[in-house]
Amino acid sequence: MQKNLFKLTLMGVMLLMSNFIFSQVTERERPKEWNQLTEGARFMDRFLPMKGKVLSSDTWGAGCVRPRYVDNGIEDGIWSYWGGNIRKGEDGKYHLFVCGWLECSPKGHMEWPNSYVFNAVSDNLTGPFKPVNIIGKGHNPEIFRAKDGRYVVYVIGGRYVSDDLNGKWKYGKFDFNARDRRIIEGLSNLSFAQREDSSYVMVCRGGGIWISQDGLSEYNQLTDQRVYPDVDGRFEDPVIWRDHIQYHMIVNDWLGRIAFYLRSKDGVNWVVDPGEAYMPGIAIHEDGHAEDWFKYERLKVYQDQYGRAIQANFAVIDTLKHEDKPFDHHSSKNISIPLNPGLLLTILDKKPITAGTKTIRVRVQAEEGFHPQTDMDINSLRFGASEEVNYGRGSKVLKTENDGNDLIVTFEGKGNGITENEFAPKLIGKYKNGKMLYGYARLPYIDYIEPILSARAPVFSASGKGLICDIEVQNFGQVSSQKASITIGYKKNGKTIKVASGIVPPLKPYEKMTLQLSGKGVFEQGKEYEQVATIYSGKKNISTFYQKKKVVE
């Protein structure tokens, strides 16, 4: 009987462990239309072969990650490394701000809450990086430069600030103002992108968008729901950046081990592109050998002078996190994978592109190592809205002409798919060697820097004539706004019942104003209402804020 009880207990433990293991991974069903994507549609298509000089099997890790480039990224037998991004210093060296904990820690990988942040340095962008300084305690670091020129290293729960990458760092806290909005999944795993006026847009783990005037002053939340894809994902690790065309974001579904790619004109309103942004299997050498890491997390990008992402850095681990024990053969590190940055494109036509446009002229700029007049397979090129070219459609080439070292490509307008909502048409094609090429372009007639008006929750009070509604509106855009209108109401039986309305006067960048409006209607005491505040520019809805609240207590 005791033997049977032991067997049952053992089977129960094994079942629990099995359930735990499988709870760390699930297979996500891909949309069927993704099967029709052409090469270059997915962000994942931009990963290039890894670089390194020291290929070794004499190191830690499961067999699937050996041999590997041990001089790529950062690794050693002392620390388990995680997260981190790179900044080039005035000293000409590359500084990777990465976190780590002792590999021999009793909790193994689960020691991560007690991470230290390192300044690791290399002469090469891909590594090897060596730690030269411990900044302090912290996890999931991301470095950026504030408007005043100081360096900021974000960590979960705080940040370090210094005048010098190699100097002393002072710990402090960010200030956050949710502005009556719910904070989605807490304020952790933050990522930051500098806007054109050196202000900052930030995305938190839950997918909320925040803005600070200088990167260190108060961050204000603009969204009341996540901007991520509307799918059943367990999202974390968002990374955001801006190039000379648009804003980019990638967010990881850690459970499904699949990431999604988003784009934006202003960093606030986002569209989701189809296909995987990344997934296991992207760490490949030039000869086709793969470093088959179990998980890729904490993606960060290194950008060139145009803001284009030219390298991805990942935290990787060779097994399930809970299986990484002290003094074992498992660990984690940071790896570097080069990225195809895309071509530099300029649309030469000034008139709006529509379905009736006859031709579209695009300049393809020459760069070091790229000669558009000789390197491209011209007949493979397709140009137009992403929704078209990502699926192999779009406008075809009519003719080309040389302009200095550049190439001007004239596309027929038919099939371009560009609508009034488009802000970054895309080019997809191939080089003559058969490899993929792509690029985005700005539309010359689009305003890329616009006012961003955002309201807080309305506050109602009684007066002799009915209701008084006070509502704060702020311009988080980088340019002044024009006169706008605002309507306040609540949802009832699927309809919006208007309570108050008024005019929002022009506001300078970051200026705010509290409007006092006359209201009508009666709110029941103790009843919860879904309030709606909508701001219009003419008839265009430019901002809507929903909040469920008991108006009268």
Side-chain angles (χ1 to χ4, degrees):
M1 182 175 179
Q2 288 182 340
K3 184 180 293 186
N4 290 336
L5 182 61
F6 173 78
K7 287 183 178 180
L8 289 172
T9 303
L10 181 60
M11 290 174 60
V13 170
M14 292 176 66
L15 180 62
L16 287 172
M17 291 181 64
S18 176
N19 288 338
F20 172 78
I21 290 172
F22 285 110
S23 71
Q24 301 300 295
V25 181
T26 188
E27 291 298 324
R28 299 295 192 200
E29 183 178 357
R30 272 55 167 176
K32 292 182 179 179
E33 58 267 25
W34 285 14
N35 296 327
Q36 308 302 318
L37 291 171
T38 190
E39 186 181 14
R42 305 177 302 172
F43 188 92
M44 196 168 77
D45 297 334
R46 304 177 194 181
F47 289 96
L48 299 174
M50 297 178 70
K51 295 180 180 180
K53 295 181 179 179
V54 183
L55 186 64
S56 176
S57 294
D58 186 20
T59 184
W60 57 265
C64 57
V65 299
R66 293 182 293 117
R68 66 171 178 273
Y69 288 129
V70 293
D71 59 336
N72 178 287
I74 183 171
E75 64 171 287
D76 56 49
I78 302 173
W79 298 92
S80 293
Y81 294 103
W82 201 251
N85 66 315
I86 299 171
R87 186 94 191 187
K88 190 172 185 180
E90 289 80 0
D91 56 7
K93 297 182 181 296
Y94 296 97
H95 295 252
L96 170 65
F97 287 82
V98 64
C99 67
W101 55 93
L102 288 171
E103 193 281 331
C104 63
S105 299
K107 294 182 180 179
H109 188 91
M110 293 301 108
E111 183 69 13
W112 68 260
N114 298 314
S115 296
Y116 290 91
V117 178
F118 300 91
N119 175 7
V121 176
S122 176
D123 293 325
N124 301 305
L125 180 57
T126 57
F129 289 89
K130 301 296 181 183
V132 297
N133 185 27
I134 293 180
I135 306 302
K137 298 200 74 172
H139 195 63
N140 289 350
E142 178 172 301
I143 185 170
F144 63 91
R145 200 164 192 177
K147 186 174 184 177
D148 64 7
R150 287 184 291 170
Y151 294 100
V152 183
V153 174
Y154 159 78
V155 294
I156 292 178
R159 68 331 184 241
Y160 294 92
V161 179
S162 178
D163 296 322
D164 184 350
L165 288 177
N166 296 304
K168 294 183 178 180
W169 295 83
K170 183 178 180 181
Y171 181 79
K173 299 277 189 177
F174 286 111
D175 292 321
F176 300 102
N177 184 349
R179 301 179 62 248
D180 306 318
R181 291 151 169 83
R182 69 186 183 97
I183 300 176
I184 312 167
E185 295 184 27
L187 284 166
S188 65
N189 296 0
L190 313 183
S191 185
F192 307 79
Q194 192 171 49
R195 304 201 297 175
E196 290 84 351
D197 67 349
S198 296
S199 62
Y200 270 85
V201 58
M202 177 269 281
V203 59
C204 66
R205 172 176 176 154
I209 300 297
W210 304 66
I211 285 178
S212 165
Q213 284 186 243
D214 56 22
L216 279 170
S217 61
E218 181 181 74
Y219 278 84
N220 293 269
Q221 187 172 203
L222 273 66
T223 54
D224 54 356
Q225 55 186 336
R226 71 183 191 183
V227 298
Y228 298 156
D230 187 18
V231 298
D232 180 21
R234 303 297 184 268
F235 292 118
E236 66 173 5
D237 301 351
V239 58
I240 184 174
W241 72 97
R242 178 181 66 86
D243 62 18
H244 65 303
I245 301 293
Q246 59 192 330
Y247 292 82
H248 307 260
M249 185 194 300
I250 291 177
V251 62
N252 182 37
D253 171 10
W254 63 265
L255 184 60
R257 297 194 300 167
I258 173 178
F260 295 84
Y261 172 55
L262 303 86
R263 299 181 296 111
S264 173
K265 183 180 77 170
D266 57 11
V268 177
N269 302 286
W270 294 85
V271 296
V272 181
D273 274 11
E276 299 91 345
Y278 65 84
M279 57 186 294
I282 55 175
I284 300 175
H285 300 179
E286 190 69 56
D287 63 2
H289 173 73
E291 298 180 10
D292 192 14
W293 297 98
F294 180 73
K295 278 202 172 186
Y296 296 75
E297 296 187 359
R298 309 289 182 246
L299 166 66
K300 304 296 177 187
V301 300
Y302 185 85
Q303 300 170 252
D304 69 5
Q305 68 269 33
Y306 300 101
R308 296 177 298 182
I310 62 173
Q311 179 172 292
N313 279 82
F314 287 97
V316 292
I317 187 169
D318 63 321
T319 187
L320 286 163
K321 294 178 180 178
H322 283 80
E323 289 186 358
D324 179 10
K325 306 294 184 181
F327 299 109
D328 67 358
H329 203 53
H330 299 299
S331 192
S332 57
K333 65 173 290 188
N334 188 284
I335 64 170
S336 304
I337 306 179
L339 290 169
N340 181 336
L343 305 182
L344 297 172
L345 307 177
T346 304
I347 296 176
L348 301 179
D349 308 289
K350 303 302 179 184
K351 293 182 179 180
I353 299 172
T354 67
T357 297
K358 300 299 183 183
T359 59
I360 305 170
R361 298 172 70 239
V362 179
R363 178 189 298 277
V364 184
Q365 182 176 320
E367 299 183 70
E368 182 179 355
F370 168 61
H371 307 283
Q373 298 170 10
T374 59
D375 292 353
M376 297 192 298
D377 177 359
I378 299 300
N379 290 329
S380 72
L381 303 181
R382 296 292 183 270
F383 183 78
S386 292
E387 291 83 354
E388 297 298 318
V389 298
N390 283 339
Y391 290 93
R393 303 186 294 266
S395 298
K396 299 179 180 180
V397 177
L398 286 177
K399 65 177 182 178
T400 63
E401 57 185 295
N402 297 341
D403 186 6
N405 293 323
D406 300 343
L407 184 69
I408 297 176
V409 183
T410 300
F411 293 88
E412 64 175 336
K414 180 181 178 182
N416 67 76
I418 295 173
T419 67
E420 61 181 8
N421 295 322
E422 182 62 64
F423 57 88
K426 188 176 183 181
L427 173 76
I428 289 183
K430 293 184 181 296
Y431 295 101
K432 285 186 175 178
N433 62 9
K435 294 184 178 180
M436 180 273 295
L437 65 79
Y438 79 98
Y440 291 96
R442 281 196 166 190
L443 291 166
Y445 49 86
I446 294 290
D447 290 327
Y448 286 85
I449 304 178
E450 296 181 304
I452 302 174
L453 297 178
S454 175
R456 295 190 63 169
V459 177
F460 293 96
S461 58
S463 72
K465 298 181 180 180
L467 289 175
I468 296 295
C469 175
D470 292 310
I471 187 165
E472 180 185 288
V473 178
Q474 187 167 356
N475 178 14
F476 289 96
Q478 304 169 70
V479 295
S480 297
S481 65
Q482 302 296 317
K483 184 172 68 174
S485 60
I486 186 168
T487 299
I488 295 105
Y490 61 90
K491 290 285 189 180
K492 183 178 181 180
N493 299 326
K495 297 181 179 180
T496 300
I497 309 300
K498 187 168 72 172
V499 175
S501 62
I503 299 298
V504 181
L507 296 175
K508 297 177 182 178
Y510 310 105
E511 182 182 7
K512 61 184 175 183
M513 176 177 290
T514 298
L515 308 175
Q516 190 170 84
L517 310 173
S518 297
K520 60 181 180 180
V522 177
F523 293 103
E524 296 180 24
Q525 186 171 0
K527 183 178 179 180
E528 185 178 72
Y529 290 84
E530 184 178 11
Q531 300 177 62
V532 185
T534 307
I535 302 176
Y536 297 91
S537 176
K539 293 184 179 181
K540 182 180 179 182
N541 180 341
I542 59 175
S543 175
T544 302
F545 173 37
Y546 296 91
Q547 187 192 51
K548 289 186 177 181
K549 183 180 179 181
K550 293 179 181 178
V551 180
V552 182
E553 295 293 345

